Amino acid sequence: MKSIAFVFTHAPHGNSAGREGLDAALATSALSDQLGMFFIGDGVFQLMAGQRPAEVLARDYISTFGVLPLYDVECCYLCADSLAERGLQAHDSRVLEVAVLSAAALRARLDEYDIILTF
């Protein structure tokens, strides 16, 4: 079985990339237990707690990230460099437990996966 990395690079609610990536990860979790979730660039906004998508007439899918451990998706990584570039902190509240890695460490971890899907 090949390992699959899902990379989130877009902020939520401006397009459907985040929701589509999450749906793909949940569906793929039924077929493989070697999944990884990576949040880089504006993708670090995907996991921020306290979002109010109803105010921009968007669907609330962010809380669904929190169920990933129930689907045995436990390898989740957040780019520390991307957080710093956006004025966010590593200890900010998030909807999912993640490991915060430097860009170099995150890239090295990403290289361990056979397939990389970017959303």
Side-chain angles (χ1 to χ4, degrees), residues 18-85:
R19 183 176 45 81
E20 290 173 358
L22 178 60
D23 289 345
L26 292 172
T28 306
S29 70
L31 306 172
S32 175
D33 59 352
Q34 298 175 329
L35 302 183
M37 307 290 280
F38 294 81
F39 300 89
I40 62 174
D42 286 340
V44 298
F45 291 115
Q46 293 283 344
L47 301 180
M48 291 182 63
Q51 296 187 42
R52 296 183 307 243
E55 293 187 14
V56 293
L57 305 176
R59 182 175 162 207
D60 184 8
Y61 69 90
I62 299 301
S63 58
T64 307
F65 278 108
V67 303
L68 286 171
L70 299 175
Y71 287 80
D72 294 327
V73 179
E74 297 174 350
C75 297
C76 301
Y77 307 100
L78 195 64
C79 179
D81 296 13
S82 296
L83 287 175
E85 290 169 0

